[in-house]
């Protein structure tokens, strides 16, 4: 299940359609918020591994060993090797990569409009406590984002951050007042061209003091909200040129009021970011009860896909020269020229599901076997028989962005998927 449209925000109440016709799957916090998060057991660990196992990765000078995050003996741990291998990649720190180019363009906007007063922080470890990821930013105890189905848990108190908001409180406590935090974030999710279990976010945060708003004659919250909107409208123009924009009221646990900014792009409204006026409870934790602040969070992949015309989110991870050589430092918005479109191959799989079955668990199995050769996983049939047994049929689309796949290779992958699904997900193949 996907809890946001294209990877940018997770916590918004926004609209909700599960398996809608346009392929967008959104989850409503309006409905889930009051209910208890669904518990879904983590997947049993994979034995066969398709991914080269690296034994350690370096994150901002700190070495993380595989067994720091992949724990075969801990039932709460649901981090697969495929995710561990992404930990030190830091695409946002590569100046010639679309994610790094976009980040730098946002930096330029803040540097020139705020005389470099926003600090840039981009090497914080993505391994954070549940307190940082959830409690510090007031995510309710029963919020769906806390479930093992949606978040990667290292152990019961430690997760791979699912948003850069995880750093707000700690940075405030350390005395930072205006900052941009960029980093890789991790979410268990479905598979399609706009969803990948690792992506990048930038968090912006700005604290105001009474002298800032007193002259304006405005109430502090209104002052912060107006300043926020002015700042982000300017950012959108800096990135997209003279676009039509609109503000949509929404809900986030950490802000009140909360908004989403949308721009009109290719004949459709596109959600660009989530933001709002920070909840006083967050400021209070750092002794800032007399202050007011705004915050925003934006998904870099989603913006980069639009700005650079990148059709599939997997491409960001490609080291194929035909991809990487198309981008240069400082060149925002160069349009990507697809080097070739290799043919897709479709394989269907049907099974009777059990109560603990979740689509995210299924997708994790498929990704664990096929890696980036899987382009999409779609539920194409779903019915319950007279005995109350529910059957799902999924269509798996295999396609490499770099070469043609052979029948033999696909059949082998599909047969492995069938074996693993049966072994791990407690389903009965049909
Ligand atoms: N953390 C949110 C998400 O990942 C995005 C976000 C929304 C960040 C509003 C913020 C904010 O700082 O104020 O869905």
């Amino acid at each position: 299940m996907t809890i946001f449209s294209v990877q940018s925000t997770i916590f918004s109440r926004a609209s909700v359609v599960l398996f809608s016709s346009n392929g967008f799957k959104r989850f409503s916090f309006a409905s889930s918020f009051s209910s208890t998060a669904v518990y879904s057991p983590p997947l049993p660990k994979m034995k066969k591994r398709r991914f080269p196992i690296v034994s350690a990765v370096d994150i901002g000078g700190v070495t993380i060993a595989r067994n720091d995050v992949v724990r075969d003996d801990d039932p709460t741990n649901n981090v697969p090797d495929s995710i561990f291998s992404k930990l030190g990649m830091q695409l946002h720190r590569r100046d010639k990569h679309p994610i790094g180019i976009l980040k730098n363009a946002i930096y330029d906007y803040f540097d020139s409009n705020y005389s470099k007063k926003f600090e840039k922080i981009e090497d914080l470890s993505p391994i954070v406590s549940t307190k940082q990821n959830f409690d510090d930013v007031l995510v309710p105890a029963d919020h769906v984002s806390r479930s093992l189905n949606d978040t990667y848990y290292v152990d019961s108190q430690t997760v791979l951050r699912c948003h850069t908001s995880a750093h707000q409180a700690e940075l405030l406590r350390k005395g930072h007042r205006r900052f941009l935090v960029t980093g890789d974030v991790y979410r268990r999710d479905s598979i399609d061209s706009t969803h990948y279990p690792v992506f990048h976010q930038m968090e912006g945060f700005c604290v105001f003091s009474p002298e800032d708003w007193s002259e304006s004659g405005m109430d502090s919250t209104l002052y912060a909200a107006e300043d926020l909107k002015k700042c982000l409208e300017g950012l959108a123009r800096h990135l997209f040129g003279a676009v039509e924009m609109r503000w949509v009221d929404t809900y986030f646990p950490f802000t009140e009021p909360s908004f989403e900014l949308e721009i009109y792009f290719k004949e459709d409204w596109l959600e660009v970011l989530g933001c709002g006026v920070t909840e006083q409870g967050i400021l209070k934790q750092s002794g800032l009860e007399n202050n007011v602040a705004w915050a925003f969070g934006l998904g870099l992949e989603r913006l980069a896909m639009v700005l650079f015309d990148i059709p599939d989110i997997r491409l960001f991870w490609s080291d194929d020269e035909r991809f990487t050589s198309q981008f240069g430092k400082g060149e925002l918005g160069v349009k990507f020229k697809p080097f070739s479109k290799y043919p897709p191959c479709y394989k269907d799989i049907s099974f009777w599901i059990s109560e603990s079955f979740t689509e995210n668990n299924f997708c994790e199995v498929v990704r664990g076997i096929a890696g980036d050769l899987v382009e999409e996983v779609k539920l194409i049939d779903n019915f319950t028989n007279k005995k109350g047994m529910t059957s799902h049929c999924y269509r798996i689309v295999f396609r490499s962005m770099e070469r043609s796949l052979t029948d033999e290779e696909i059949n082998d992958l599909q047969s492995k998927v069938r074996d693993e699904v049966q072994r791990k997900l407690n389903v009965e193949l049909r």
Side-chain angles (χ1 to χ4, degrees), residues 114-154:
Y114 296 90
S115 352
K116 301 202 169 168
K117 286 203 178 107
F118 277 80
E119 287 175 84
K120 302 167 197 115
I121 302 166
E122 51 182 44
D123 64 349
L124 297 177
S125 170
I127 304 166
V128 299
S129 63
T130 49
K131 178 174 177 297
Q132 289 170 292
N133 200 67
F134 301 120
D135 306 330
D136 280 356
V137 280
L138 314 180
V139 176
D142 62 354
H143 198 275
V144 66
S145 62
R146 291 185 185 248
S147 76
L148 280 157
N149 190 49
D150 291 37
T151 291
Y152 289 105
Y153 277 80
V154 173

Side-chain angles (χ1 to χ4, degrees), residues 369-420:
I369 290 161
D372 285 356
L373 298 182
V374 54
E375 177 170 285
E376 191 172 5
V377 171
K378 251 189 303 196
L379 181 67
I380 55 167
D381 190 36
N382 176 7
F383 71 90
T384 303
N385 71 7
K386 284 191 193 130
K387 291 188 202 154
M389 292 162 74
T390 298
S391 162
H392 281 185
C393 178
Y394 287 93
R395 176 153 299 159
I396 305 177
V397 184
F398 294 100
R399 189 206 305 254
S400 163
M401 284 165 302
E402 288 149 15
R403 61 193 175 84
S404 287
L405 299 172
T406 62
D407 282 348
E408 203 188 349
E409 193 174 8
I410 304 281
N411 289 338
D412 184 46
L413 289 173
Q414 181 70 359
S415 124
K416 286 191 175 122
V417 167
R418 289 179 67 84
D419 288 351
E420 294 272 325

